[in-house]
Amino acid sequence: MNSKYPNLLSPGTIGSLEIRNKTVMCAMGMSQSDQGFVNQAVINHYAERAKGGIGLIMVEVTCVDAPVGLNTSRMLVIDDDKYIPGMAKLADAIHEHGAKCLLQISHTGRGSRRAVTGHQPVAPSAVAMPYSFMMGLSNEEPRALTIEEIHEIEDKYAQAAVRAKKAGFDGIELHSVGYYMGQQFLSSTANIRTDEYGGNPENRVRFHLNIIRKIKELCGKDFTVAVKLSAVEQGEDAGITMQDGMYYAKRFQEEGVDALEVLAGTWKKEASMEDIPDSGSPKGQAIGLCMALKMGIQQMTGKPAAIKMIGGGRAQDPAVAEAALASGQCDFIFIGKGVLVQPDLVNLIEQDREEEIRPCLGCGVCIDVQLQDGACARCSGNAVLGNGDNDYTIPPAQKPKKVIVVGGGVAGVEAARIAAVRGHQVSLYEKADKIGGQIFYAAAPPHKENMAPLIPYLEHQLEVKHVDVHLNEEITPEKILELKPDAVVCATGVLPSTLPIPGFSRTINAKEVLDGKETGEQIVIIGGGSVGCETAEYLAEKGKKVTVIEMLDTMAEKMVNVARTILMGHLKGLGVTLLTSCKCLEITDSSVACQDKEGTVHTIPADTVVAAVGDKADNALYRALEGKVPELYNIGDSAKPDSIAASVSQGYYCGLGL
């Protein structure tokens, strides 16, 4: 065991459960089921994390009352005995690799959408779910539940727990965060009832306490029960105060709940300067809430809190986790996206191989593709997640090949990494003096600190996988043919695009700006995609007067919704002028002329004009080698400029197919 982290890696207990270490994989909806049933993709997903060393797995949010309680069309379901056999296979797969597992059970309440369920949502009160930029969703007004219906739903939760026990799960977790029904009963803004289920914190917690009592009665006191709790909420529609959260924690402890997984909630329609995207959020951001609840329980009872507190929030850094445990702020650490991107994260920590842990970028793709696109979860750093059956097998090559990879960005490094793991002899050529490619520009704008660790990760992977790396070498087609490779992978990236605008040659590229090139004080950025808008924030934070011109009617249209909303809030706060549906006509030494959708021409003063009009694929090497080498591949941006997720996926599966 790694002696640097004795608290994190030592066993612990939650209720009657003995857990091999203090790590908890928190429940994260993946939308990968087969009409609610566990399938091979679900089993492989969780088995891989159990194999990777996690102590306790909270299996993702599972519906107790379909269809009305569904979140997505591919949400797991546990409202009928027909789901038990699949759940049993899942629990067995997790236990086989030494982890314990709880099933997170829930009803989506007012958050369920008619487009998915075919029904009007139901909730404690007829209060519509407000728009929250953190989810990018709002919803229609729900129908308020009757007392009798509430009792029926309480019974459905309890019966779901019985099924989880029959399937072999070690316990359940009640979901009371975000836009799910548990949170809705606890919130004074979502729950405006005046009967026994509303009006004060004591009544608002009744729904939970009734469920917990029924579960204990049906499943036994040794069956572990946890609650995922919003300890406090902020924003216009916040309905849980810190005092409420402390009171709820105390009541849960009194009722025999074994653990609380502690988070905070946000109900803000618009982002402001204080909101930070996950790409820049701090480590261990929710851990302090555990300490607040512990203190609250002690103040109310006169005794130290007995209920176990599970804290986290970007806590995959073992030093952060160890410090939180050693200081007593929390008792266990939940890790979410960190084990989505790196399933064997805990094993790597135990083996003192932290440099091999792929960082979570905080990009938000995993959530966005589900809530905005209705797809299953994907990951920018893990090509396997959400792909088919989630098969992590990397078979050795039947015949080792001599492979040349050209390009040291994420696509090229991923292809080289996987090819080397399979036993191929891999050489990588990069014309720059460093590995990383476009990541240097992606990590340069404000609040992108969590992207920067990807670069040393890529460098280290090439080292530990024994890839022969050649920097500062722009390899030619002739040199490649001389080396007689069995396969060539072109990952040569992009070239800047140009526009047929008079004076366009006077512009500087946004990437030059992000790389430190000096600018004037009045800046016009042509192109309001993600690069243009992030460059605008970068410059506005330096005190520059910035205007962004975009032809479409939406700025940063392709960005993940939450990150886009926060970025727009920052640009508004920084006073950046955003001109949509606007066409650039001419660039002069001192101004930019543009035309709006009404046809009016505007002249904007500018001493620097920045081009952020996208990139084009640099596929010249690929074209020069076509038909001249035994195997030839073109991946990443040199095939089609796209996202980090696309580049990683293409690199991984290219390496797997060599």
Side-chain angles (χ1 to χ4, degrees):
M1 185 174 76
N2 189 331
S3 60
K4 290 190 291 186
Y5 311 114
N7 289 284
L8 181 65
L9 299 176
S10 62
T13 60
I14 294 178
S16 60
L17 280 187
E18 293 187 7
I19 301 165
R20 60 185 172 187
N21 55 50
K22 304 286 189 356
T23 65
V24 177
M25 176 183 174
C26 60
M28 293 167 285
M30 295 285 104
S31 298
Q32 294 179 155
S33 82
D34 181 7
Q35 296 182 315
F37 288 90
V38 169
N39 54 20
Q40 197 59 48
V42 174
I43 291 171
N44 288 351
H45 173 72
Y46 288 103
E48 195 69 22
R49 276 77 193 169
K51 193 188 303 180
I54 278 283
L56 172 64
I57 290 177
M58 304 289 196
V59 169
E60 67 196 80
V61 59
T62 302
C63 184
V64 303
D65 186 16
V68 70
L70 290 173
N71 174 13
T72 69
S73 60
R74 298 185 68 183
M75 183 181 185
L76 285 171
V77 180
I78 191 73
D79 68 354
D80 190 280
D81 286 356
K82 66 185 180 183
Y83 298 104
I84 294 176
M87 286 289 180
K89 290 180 182 177
L90 175 57
D92 286 346
I94 293 169
H95 288 147
E96 181 184 345
H97 297 291
K100 298 294 196 294
C101 56
L102 306 188
L103 183 67
Q104 186 184 78
I105 57 177
S106 186
H107 189 302
T108 308
R110 69 178 184 174
S112 67
R113 287 167 282 173
R114 193 187 292 263
V116 172
T117 69
H119 295 269
Q120 180 185 10
V122 296
S125 302
V127 178
M129 186 179 80
Y131 181 83
S132 164
F133 79 80
M134 293 298 290
M135 293 173 288
L137 298 172
S138 57
N139 210 6
E140 67 177 285
E141 183 178 294
R143 180 179 60 79
L145 293 163
T146 66
I147 293 282
E148 182 180 347
E149 287 173 325
I150 293 173
H151 292 165
E152 289 173 359
I153 292 174
E154 290 169 353
D155 287 337
K156 287 180 178 181
Y157 271 86
Q159 288 301 318
V162 170
R163 294 185 188 103
K165 184 174 183 181
K166 287 180 179 177
F169 279 85
D170 302 298
I172 60 92
E173 181 180 54
L174 298 179
H175 195 345
S176 297
V177 169
Y179 56 94
Y180 293 91
M181 186 174 280
Q183 179 275 344
Q184 292 156 31
F185 268 97
L186 297 178
S187 165
S188 63
T189 54
N191 177 359
I192 58 172
R193 301 177 74 99
T194 56
D195 58 18
E196 64 196 86
Y197 282 94
N200 56 54
E202 183 177 354
N203 286 344
R204 289 195 292 270
V205 78
R206 190 180 307 277
F207 177 72
H208 289 74
L209 301 186
N210 286 348
I211 292 171
I212 293 160
R213 287 166 192 152
K214 290 176 181 180
I215 291 173
K216 293 286 184 180
E217 180 183 337
L218 293 170
C219 298
K221 294 192 187 239
D222 288 342
F223 188 65
T224 301
V225 174
V227 177
K228 186 170 187 172
L229 176 68
S230 280
V232 65
E233 292 183 332
Q234 60 173 336
E236 300 93 334
D237 292 280
I240 300 175
T241 67
M242 196 71 237
Q243 289 72 26
D244 291 337
M246 292 174 180
Y247 173 76
Y248 295 148
K250 169 181 170 286
R251 293 304 304 274
F252 291 145
Q253 176 175 291
E254 291 170 347
E255 211 55 53
V257 171
D258 300 294
L260 293 178
E261 182 186 336
V262 187
L263 290 171
T266 300
W267 290 103
K268 296 175 70 175
K269 295 178 178 64
E270 293 185 358
S272 60
M273 293 301 294
E274 73 232 27
D275 295 302
I276 302 297
D278 202 24
S279 58
S281 58
K283 297 177 180 179
Q285 56 191 320
I287 289 171
L289 290 170
C290 291
M291 197 66 209
L293 293 189
K294 283 188 172 191
M295 292 170 62
I297 290 174
Q298 183 156 9
Q299 286 172 359
M300 286 182 276
T301 65
K303 298 178 182 178
I307 193 169
K308 297 293 175 69
M309 300 288 177
I310 307 171
R314 294 204 68 86
Q316 61 263 37
D317 183 329
V320 171
E322 178 67 21
L325 294 168
S327 63
Q329 291 184 78
C330 58
D331 306 294
F332 283 78
I333 293 289
F334 71 76
I335 305 171
K337 297 167 189 172
V339 291
L340 292 188
V341 68
Q342 188 72 56
D344 59 343
L345 181 145
V346 179
N347 284 349
L348 292 175
I349 293 170
E350 287 184 333
Q351 296 161 12
D352 199 17
R353 295 163 60 197
E354 293 168 48
E355 289 177 309
E356 294 181 52
I357 296 173
R358 190 175 200 123
C360 166
L361 306 181
C363 65
V365 166
C366 52
I367 300 170
D368 197 71
V369 295
Q370 295 183 77
L371 296 184
Q372 307 304 324
D373 303 332
C376 63
R378 300 304 303 269
C379 176
S380 288
N382 180 351
V384 178
L385 185 71
N387 193 316
D389 282 346
N390 288 326
D391 184 358
Y392 283 86
T393 306
I394 301 177
Q398 292 183 347
K399 179 184 177 184
K401 298 174 182 176
K402 182 178 181 180
V403 178
I404 290 177
V405 177
V406 186
V410 289
V413 173
E414 189 72 356
R417 180 179 82 89
I418 298 301
V421 168
R422 297 187 61 226
H424 294 303
Q425 178 192 337
V426 185
S427 298
L428 183 145
Y429 291 82
E430 167 56 51
K431 65 182 179 181
D433 61 355
K434 54 195 174 185
I435 294 298
Q438 300 298 307
I439 294 299
F440 286 97
Y441 307 115
H447 316 299
K448 304 295 282 293
E449 294 85 353
N450 294 327
M451 288 196 167
L454 181 59
I455 295 167
Y457 165 83
L458 297 175
E459 294 171 337
H460 192 68
Q461 281 297 302
L462 294 172
E463 180 183 338
V464 297
K465 300 301 188 287
H466 306 295
V467 174
D468 182 22
V469 177
H470 301 259
L471 297 178
N472 293 304
E473 186 166 347
E474 186 168 5
I475 193 168
T476 63
E478 294 74 22
K479 178 64 184 286
I480 289 173
L481 295 176
E482 282 177 25
L483 293 171
K484 294 183 168 46
D486 299 304
V488 177
V489 178
C490 296
T492 45
V494 293
L495 296 169
S497 294
T498 59
L499 293 178
I501 298 170
F504 189 84
S505 60
R506 294 186 174 95
T507 66
I508 60 173
N509 191 271
K511 291 176 184 175
E512 295 179 273
V513 174
L514 295 173
D515 207 24
K517 189 177 182 69
E518 288 297 320
T519 67
E521 296 303 311
Q522 290 187 305
I523 299 163
V524 172
I525 298 175
I526 302 173
S530 57
V531 173
C533 289
E534 288 182 338
T535 305
E537 183 179 18
Y538 173 86
L539 290 167
E541 281 203 350
K542 297 178 182 296
K544 313 289 186 179
K545 180 177 174 57
V546 183
T547 299
V548 183
I549 299 173
E550 170 56 46
M551 289 183 66
L552 301 178
D553 59 4
T554 304
M555 291 283 176
E557 186 178 40
K558 294 183 179 179
M559 279 188 89
V560 166
N561 186 76
V562 173
R564 179 189 175 278
T565 306
I566 294 174
L567 177 56
M568 292 303 110
H570 289 180
L571 295 181
K572 180 180 177 181
L574 290 165
V576 174
T577 302
L578 303 176
L579 302 178
T580 55
S581 303
C582 206
K583 181 181 179 182
C584 183
L585 300 176
E586 184 183 13
I587 300 166
T588 72
D589 287 337
S590 59
S591 67
V592 173
C594 62
Q595 185 179 49
D596 63 26
K597 59 184 176 183
E598 279 79 34
T600 305
V601 175
H602 305 268
T603 300
I604 306 165
D607 47 28
T608 302
V609 181
V610 177
V613 294
D615 296 308
K616 58 186 179 182
D618 183 2
N619 56 13
L621 181 66
Y622 175 76
R623 292 201 313 271
L625 291 172
E626 282 185 297
K628 298 178 182 177
V629 294
E631 289 182 49
L632 179 64
Y633 304 90
N634 190 26
I635 63 171
D637 288 344
S638 60
K640 179 185 176 183
D642 202 328
S643 61
I644 295 173
S647 289
V648 169
S649 181
Q650 290 172 34
Y652 183 94
Y653 286 104
C654 178
L656 207 60
L658 283 167

